[in-house]
Amino acid sequence: MADRTLQTTAPGGKPAGRRPFDLKRQTGFSEIAWFCLFVLYAPIAVLIVFSFNDNRSVTLWTEFSLRWYRSALNNQGIQNAAMISLQVGAVATLVSTFFATLAALATTRNERFRGEGLVYAVINQPLMIPEIVTAVATLALFALIKQLTGVGGIGYLMLAHTVFCIPFAYMPIRARLEDMNLTLEQAAADLYATPLQVFRRITLPLMMPGIVAGAMLAFVVSFDDVIITLMVAGPGETTLPIYIFGQMRRGITPETNAVSTLIVLLSVVLVALLFFFGKRRR
Amino acid sequence: MTGDGAAADRTAGRSDRAGAAAIEIRRVRKVFGSGQERAVVALDDVSLTIRDNEFFTLLGPSGCGKTTLLRLIAGFEQPTAGEILLFGSHLEHLPPHRRPVNTVFQQYALFPHMTVAENIGFGLMMQGRPKREIDETVRRMLALVRMDDLAGRRTDQLSGGQQQRVALARALAPHPKVLLLDEPLSALDLKLRKEMQIELKRLQHETGITFIFVTHDQEEALTMSDRIAVMSDGAILQVGTPREIYDHPARRFVADFIGEINILPAELLETREASGGASARVRLSSGQVRLARLPDGPVAAGRVNVAVRPEHAGLQPAGEGAALTGTLSNVVYFGTGTHYHLELDGPGGEGGRFVVELQNRLGAGADHAIGARLGILLTDGSLQVLCD
């Protein structure tokens, strides 16, 4: 008895022969890690390297050059497609983040209500149903509406994007709200803040990192979408991924590499911004 | 440092406003959940009056309803039935932001996206006070809690004790009519807790605000309070000054919950009224008769329980008219005093245990050996009759 007490209180004393489980110490850990990193990043590395290739070929390196960037940036088709992508992405991001914020507040800041599980399922529906099904269904519905009303335009594409962006925006916002201490809002109310002031001064600033993360996720998802866009987009509504997709069917050129590299750069900048924004808030 | 002047002020203020009720709780009932099985009665028909400028403590084990009562006063919960009055005006239908009371939360609940000064000024800003007044009050509050040089800090850069002070300053800044404190010291270590006990007492002195303090720590309650309400199972068992609660517990639960106590069976012989409170002659199991103090509540005739604090009893040689006799089974020395554990003689061989606490004096050795037969000395008035 006395011995055991001595042993456990000895400075730095660990129970002998038993090391806590540590994943990093398992055999093959670093090999698997390196393999995963390689599989993930090797294709992107190759893409970026060959975007600087002077040659027309995407497999044969000759000499460093920026000519494909020049040609990509001067390409009217790419410029138009990028503009469409940005417009659709911006509208879809703003609208979906707005609704996702409301939905997240309703599902975390209210007493549980009947059918809350159903609401959750409906919000996340775009994640559950195969995208091709949603795409065909959306196409059919929009065709019907267009026929009945005679109204066309890019609004349909923006609406379709908004819908599938909502769950992506919703998830980080909800996670943030669930992490947040409810007592903070009570403390603000206790200090004479009206419900609206509590929201503006406490809830909104504290959920902001979640909203920003949700908005960025929504933008990336919208910017990246092919299947639904392919079905819904009308003439003159070609987004960047659709344009690249079309170009590739006529053969890959380093111009495609250059455009893709620029997109990678854009996402890196976005993620970096999010990171610094989050750090500053902490 | 604020010494005599403040104390005199306080006494003067006291006599002016003595008797004014800051908070009146009238027959409040709170039931959580609905339906027969899931309903939980947190408070059952509770009535209580808390006086102005009082340091009032709600004391009880977890789940006794003390925090629920505090949250009802703050407005975070609505009473199922009953009334809550603040200086005579009804509170129960006002939302929290329209009640002139502030809360210090158990985990402080400081706003993480604001500085210390912004936290303290929040209540005043929400009240729409002019900026100059806010700045001035924040400065005064920072000085009051001795945090002058930390105004610009973020709250996550503060230690537990500092966060505690900011939480206090934030709740005091709008000068509430009543300050509610929900176990604010429970997250601090022992040394800091002792410091903050004195600090809280000082703050209450200097501000003259009524404090309602919730705790499960009996020592904390005895040290700081003007009056204590002991709660159990959603009911208030006894309200009184620390001395009344400690020396004259009315119920078995109160006697057990606060400090150590001996409880003995006895027979109630006759009661008599006196100026210092009603008392009664009781016959102990040994046949000896003593004078015991009666509690305020109703007492059953015949068989009753009487309580004796260990330090209110003494030891004497067995026989010679000792109140009780027993065998010494254990001697526990604890520095300032010694506990003598006795197995009491009973009619059937087992009469229960009794603890006597004696002060240690320099040079006096322990003069009783384990196994010795001893008498217990109980003077008139050291016994307290319990209601249950």
Side-chain angles (χ1 to χ4, degrees):
Chain A
M1 179 66 193
D3 278 353
R4 237 181 50 202
T5 332
L6 264 181
Q7 210 174 31
T8 47
T9 52
K14 281 184 200 157
R18 256 239 214 147
R19 201 162 262 153
F21 178 78
D22 185 1
L23 193 64
K24 279 183 260 179
R25 288 183 176 278
Q26 303 306 303
T27 33
F29 176 84
S30 61
E31 286 82 356
I32 293 172
W34 281 115
F35 177 74
C36 289
L37 285 175
F38 178 79
V39 170
L40 278 173
Y41 288 103
I44 298 176
V46 170
L47 173 105
I48 293 173
V49 167
F50 278 94
S51 74
F52 294 108
N53 191 2
D54 187 53
N55 198 303
R56 228 195 129 67
S57 160
V58 284
T59 45
L60 209 73
W61 179 265
T62 46
E63 165 181 23
F64 180 85
S65 145
L66 289 175
R67 67 180 268 221
W68 296 113
Y69 284 89
R70 229 171 288 127
S71 118
L73 291 175
N74 287 328
N75 184 330
Q76 194 62 45
I78 289 178
Q79 281 178 20
N80 291 342
M83 264 330 279
I84 299 282
S85 270
L86 286 177
Q87 282 168 13
V88 172
V91 171
T93 300
L94 285 176
V95 180
S96 67
T97 307
F98 177 73
F99 283 110
T101 305
L102 295 187
L105 282 168
T107 49
T108 56
R109 284 299 181 271
N110 274 324
E111 290 196 14
R112 297 206 158 269
F113 50 90
R114 275 170 69 96
E116 201 180 311
L118 188 70
V119 167
Y120 194 69
V122 168
I123 293 172
N124 286 322
Q125 170 269 335
L127 300 179
M128 320 269 189
I129 294 179
E131 202 183 341
I132 185 70
V133 176
T134 313
V136 173
T138 312
L139 173 67
L141 179 69
F142 283 177
L144 187 69
I145 296 173
K146 278 181 195 166
Q147 199 184 24
L148 288 178
T149 62
V151 179
I154 201 167
Y156 290 101
L157 187 59
M158 289 169 171
L159 186 60
H161 274 231
T162 300
V163 170
F164 70 72
C165 282
I166 285 178
F168 292 97
Y170 171 76
M171 283 184 301
I173 300 174
R174 183 193 161 101
R176 177 80 196 174
L177 275 172
E178 279 183 339
D179 268 5
M180 237 170 86
N181 191 349
L182 266 179
T183 335
L184 292 176
E185 286 156 48
Q186 280 181 356
D190 188 62
L191 292 161
Y192 315 110
T194 62
L196 200 68
Q197 284 170 323
V198 172
F199 180 74
R200 210 171 72 74
R201 302 273 182 180
I202 307 296
T203 317
L204 193 61
L206 288 176
M207 72 192 288
M208 218 40 184
I211 294 179
V212 172
M216 286 184 42
L217 204 55
F219 184 79
V220 169
V221 168
S222 160
F223 199 83
D224 191 44
D225 183 72
V226 173
I227 300 178
I228 289 178
T229 313
L230 208 54
M231 296 281 182
V232 176
E237 294 168 14
T238 307
T239 61
L240 203 49
I242 304 292
Y243 183 86
I244 293 171
F245 189 64
Q247 235 185 1
M248 301 247 299
R249 279 191 297 196
R250 281 176 271 132
I252 303 179
T253 69
E255 194 181 74
T256 315
N257 287 16
V259 175
S260 308
T261 305
L262 289 175
I263 297 176
V264 169
L265 189 70
L266 178 73
S267 19
V268 168
V269 167
L270 273 181
V271 171
L273 276 179
L274 179 68
F275 182 75
F276 286 118
F277 187 69
K279 271 231 140 151
R280 212 166 49 84
R281 283 243 155 226
R282 280 264 127 205
Chain B
M1 65 193 71
T2 40
D4 297 340
D9 280 358
R10 179 174 152 84
T11 328
R14 265 270 163 97
S15 51
D16 280 358
R17 297 189 285 178
I23 294 272
E24 267 179 88
I25 312 278
R26 291 186 189 157
R27 311 206 59 174
V28 162
R29 187 177 160 80
K30 176 66 185 174
V31 182
F32 287 108
S34 51
Q36 286 291 318
E37 287 106 53
R38 284 192 298 149
V40 177
V41 180
L43 289 174
D44 194 6
D45 201 15
V46 166
S47 296
L48 180 67
T49 302
I50 296 167
R51 298 184 202 125
D52 189 18
N53 198 13
E54 186 170 42
F55 196 121
F56 193 92
T57 298
L58 298 170
L59 173 67
S62 60
C64 71
K66 56 191 192 298
T67 297
T68 304
L69 189 53
L70 202 73
R71 291 173 64 82
L72 284 172
I73 299 172
F76 304 137
E77 311 282 354
Q78 299 300 314
T80 312
E83 299 175 329
I84 301 171
L85 286 87
L86 177 78
F87 291 99
S89 55
H90 283 267
L91 271 190
E92 59 269 10
H93 300 301
L94 291 179
H97 68 272
R98 294 183 50 200
R99 300 187 183 202
V101 298
N102 290 148
T103 309
V104 177
F105 292 86
Q106 189 169 6
Q107 300 299 327
Y108 318 139
L110 299 179
F111 305 131
H113 56 303
M114 299 181 192
T115 63
V116 167
E118 285 167 347
N119 263 281
I120 297 174
F122 187 84
L124 296 161
M125 192 169 74
M126 291 300 107
Q127 286 181 323
R129 304 275 180 82
K131 192 178 179 314
R132 191 132 51 87
E133 188 196 326
I134 296 177
D135 291 346
E136 171 54 30
T137 310
V138 167
R139 220 182 352 266
R140 234 168 2 90
M141 285 299 138
L142 282 167
L144 188 68
V145 297
R146 296 171 184 156
M147 296 266 298
D148 313 64
D149 40 351
L150 296 175
R153 285 275 184 95
R154 292 221 162 239
T155 55
D156 53 6
Q157 297 167 324
L158 302 177
S159 70
Q162 290 170 331
Q163 288 188 26
Q164 170 69 80
R165 284 158 198 270
V166 176
L168 266 167
R170 184 179 71 176
L172 284 170
H175 204 88
K177 292 195 167 154
V178 172
L179 186 74
L180 310 172
L181 302 106
D182 185 9
E183 306 220 15
L185 305 183
S186 62
L188 303 177
D189 61 46
L190 187 67
K191 189 166 172 293
L192 213 52
R193 199 152 67 219
K194 296 268 182 208
E195 271 176 41
M196 284 307 294
Q197 286 179 7
I198 297 166
E199 187 86 6
L200 275 177
K201 201 63 193 156
R202 176 181 73 85
L203 284 172
Q204 203 255 331
H205 261 261
E206 287 180 17
T207 57
I209 293 172
T210 308
F211 277 31
I212 305 180
F213 185 86
V214 159
T215 184
H216 62 267
D217 184 330
Q218 41 117 349
E219 192 201 317
E220 212 164 86
L222 292 176
T223 315
M224 301 164 71
S225 318
D226 292 325
R227 286 197 306 152
I228 300 172
V230 183
M231 295 184 69
S232 170
D233 279 335
I236 292 176
L237 298 184
Q238 191 175 355
V239 181
T241 63
R243 188 169 282 278
E244 282 164 8
I245 298 275
Y246 185 82
D247 285 346
H248 306 296
R251 308 281 286 271
R252 214 189 156 104
F253 180 88
V254 178
D256 265 339
F257 190 72
I258 298 170
E260 257 191 280
I261 204 152
N262 299 292
I263 293 173
L264 304 166
E267 191 186 338
L268 198 68
L269 299 177
E270 51 166 327
T271 61
R272 60 170 82 151
E273 291 296 327
S275 56
S279 56
R281 281 153 51 77
V282 293
R283 183 184 288 133
L284 300 172
S285 58
S286 60
Q288 290 281 328
V289 175
R290 291 287 184 279
L291 202 61
R293 201 182 139 109
L294 279 173
D296 281 339
V299 178
R303 314 261 353 134
V304 292
N305 284 312
V306 295
V308 187
R309 292 282 172 201
E311 67 273 22
H312 295 163
L315 290 173
Q316 65 178 86
E320 294 178 39
L324 296 159
T325 50
T327 311
L328 189 62
S329 65
N330 205 358
V331 177
V332 181
Y333 174 84
F334 58 91
T336 56
T338 305
H339 276 160
Y340 296 87
H341 295 253
L342 286 94
E343 301 288 344
L344 293 181
D345 298 344
E350 55 114 274
R353 296 162 53 92
F354 196 97
V355 180
V356 175
E357 179 182 325
L358 296 181
Q359 288 280 318
N360 290 330
R361 284 194 182 72
L362 204 59
D367 43 1
H368 303 292
I370 288 178
R373 301 250 321 135
L374 289 168
I376 293 168
L377 177 73
L378 296 177
T379 54
D380 283 345
S382 63
L383 296 94
Q384 170 72 34
V385 178
L386 300 176
C387 292
D388 52 357

